[in-house]
Amino acid sequence: MVRFAAGTGLRQGELLALNPRRIELAKRRVVVAESLSNLAGTLKIGPTKTDQTRSVPLTESLLEPLERQLAANKGARFVWPNRDGGPMRGNLLYRRHFLPAAERAGLQVQGLPRVRFHDLRHTYAALLIALNAPPKAIQNWMGHSSISVTFDVYGHLFPFAEDEVTARLDALMAE
């Protein structure tokens, strides 16, 4: 579950609300259409943060563990259900799954700020940027309402090659 979150950039509520029908294994995609929220102790499935449905590609390395998860919970309403088949609560996801994974990975270190689940989303975006993914694709996969949100949050990570761009502009203008 933690690897899936890091490899797709889904928000915690989107991950917890994920229905197996939204997984398109043959197309290597996940359709993100719902989100789980906790309203005064009551879990509610509703639209995503931006009220938009999006499609996020799945890497090859996510497919096998995801297939095992789906097979283990065949017929369940959620990809990662709780013990009763309902949606898992965010605090349980954090305590039972995320923190142990962060500790095993050496990310949870005494004296440093506590690693947050949302940091997986930031990691996904940073990796996409490092791989030179098109900004518009990053916006779509992250579910940002506009490209300006993507640039406002992650703009500092985009490579800025001032000298290279200036030289290329100079070459164009010299022609």
Side-chain angles (χ1 to χ4, degrees), residues 81-118:
N82 67 17
R83 293 180 184 139
D84 300 325
M88 186 184 304
R89 291 182 175 274
N91 62 334
L92 295 180
L93 161 66
Y94 187 78
R95 200 169 61 242
R96 291 184 185 164
H97 300 281
F98 178 72
L99 280 181
E103 288 170 5
R104 283 192 305 273
L107 299 175
Q108 195 60 57
V109 180
Q110 190 78 20
L112 293 179
R114 183 163 255 195
V115 178
R116 304 166 306 144
F117 188 85
H118 199 74

Side-chain angles (χ1 to χ4, degrees), residues 27 29 57 63 69 75 96 128-129 136-137 155 161 167 174:
K27 293 181 180 179
R29 294 199 134 341
L63 293 180
Q69 179 67 22
R96 291 184 185 164
L128 291 176
I129 291 166
K136 192 66 176 169

Side-chain angles (χ1 to χ4, degrees), residues 7 25 32 37 40 46 49 69 73 77 90-91 94 96 106 123 129 132-133 139 153-155 159:
L25 291 172
V32 183
S37 56
K49 182 178 179 182
Q69 179 67 22
N73 293 292
R77 184 174 169 209
N91 62 334
Y94 187 78
R96 291 184 185 164
T123 298
I129 291 166
N132 292 318
Q139 174 208 337
V153 176
Y154 300 106

Side-chain angles (χ1 to χ4, degrees), residues 17-110:
L18 190 58
N19 186 300
R21 293 177 294 121
R22 301 288 189 187
I23 305 288
E24 299 175 353
L25 291 172
K27 293 181 180 179
R28 290 182 30 194
R29 294 199 134 341
V30 57
V31 176
V32 183
E34 297 91 16
S35 186
L36 179 75
S37 56
N38 187 337
L39 303 172
T42 302
L43 299 181
K44 180 183 176 219
I45 304 284
T48 63
K49 182 178 179 182
T50 58
D51 291 323
Q52 296 175 344
T53 297
R54 70 184 188 276
S55 179
V56 179
L58 296 171
T59 62
E60 192 70 35
S61 64
L62 291 177
L63 293 180
E64 185 181 328
L66 182 57
E67 288 173 332
R68 283 195 311 268
Q69 179 67 22
L70 293 171
N73 293 292
K74 196 163 187 75
R77 184 174 169 209
F78 302 97
V79 174
W80 290 280
N82 67 17
R83 293 180 184 139
D84 300 325
M88 186 184 304
R89 291 182 175 274
N91 62 334
L92 295 180
L93 161 66
Y94 187 78
R95 200 169 61 242
R96 291 184 185 164
H97 300 281
F98 178 72
L99 280 181
E103 288 170 5
R104 283 192 305 273
L107 299 175
Q108 195 60 57
V109 180
Q110 190 78 20

